[in-house]
Amino acid sequence: LAAHPGWRGSFVDRSAAAEPYCRGYLETLGLSSRGAPVTGDIESLPGPAAHFDLVIATEVLEHTSDPQRARAELTRILKPGGLLAVGVPVDLDIPMHPVVFGSVEAVRDFFVHFGYELLAEDLVMPLVTDAVAEALPEFIGCAHSVFRRSTDA
């Protein structure tokens, strides 16, 4: 937000405990008038349809029980032609992840076959000193992808 003075943000987390933390962080940055923390669920996002130019969903899709519904909700709130940035762990099959994307390609296909154009993708490898990598040596990293929603809405 600081780099883009005309932007406003909505920050959604399913935990109500995240709201005061987010609000305090925005206040610390001097951005509280331009950002609003909201409690919500990715399978039923608050907000009107086709409202956002950019949606960022990082480290969340792997926690949903219905990824197709989550994708539909992300699509619903994103304007046609808008950008979607997604980050998910790759091939990390642990109890807290009901959804496992087995590869960067699986993430790509999940969105491209639903009317999104892939703009960029990368596999971000964990640092050797990363606590997750230390605890789970089989963890290969996270897929970070940017898509454009089709304008054929």
Side-chain angles (χ1 to χ4, degrees):
L1 287 177
H4 300 279
W7 288 16
R8 295 188 47 75
S10 293
F11 305 92
V12 181
D13 195 290
R14 76 166 112 182
S15 170
E19 275 192 54
Y21 173 80
C22 182
R23 195 175 320 282
Y25 185 67
L26 289 168
E27 286 173 11
T28 299
L29 296 175
L31 298 170
S32 58
S33 66
R34 297 184 34 228
V38 179
T39 300
D41 188 289
I42 193 167
E43 293 178 20
S44 181
L45 290 166
H51 183 73
F52 294 98
D53 296 304
L54 169 67
V55 172
I56 302 171
T58 60
E59 315 310 317
V60 64
L61 284 171
E62 67 275 14
H63 297 285
T64 184
S65 59
D66 189 345
Q68 289 78 16
R69 182 176 171 112
R71 179 185 56 201
E73 275 296 283
L74 293 168
T75 302
R76 181 186 68 78
I77 65 168
L78 186 62
K79 290 180 181 176
L83 300 179
L84 173 64
V86 176
V88 295
V90 173
D91 200 24
L92 187 57
D93 191 0
I94 58 177
M96 62 190 299
H97 293 173
V99 176
V100 176
F101 290 91
S103 66
V104 173
E105 294 78 15
V107 177
R108 176 192 320 134
D109 292 347
F110 184 72
F111 287 97
V112 168
H113 294 298
F114 200 70
Y116 281 87
E117 171 191 5
L118 177 69
L119 300 179
E121 70 182 356
D122 196 12
L123 177 64
V124 178
M125 311 285 276
L127 298 172
V128 176
T129 58
D130 184 282
V132 174
E134 194 173 299
L136 302 163
E138 69 277 11
F139 177 52
I140 63 169
C142 290
H144 288 189
S145 307
V146 179
F147 300 93
R148 182 183 325 274
R149 182 182 168 198
S150 170
T151 55
D152 302 328

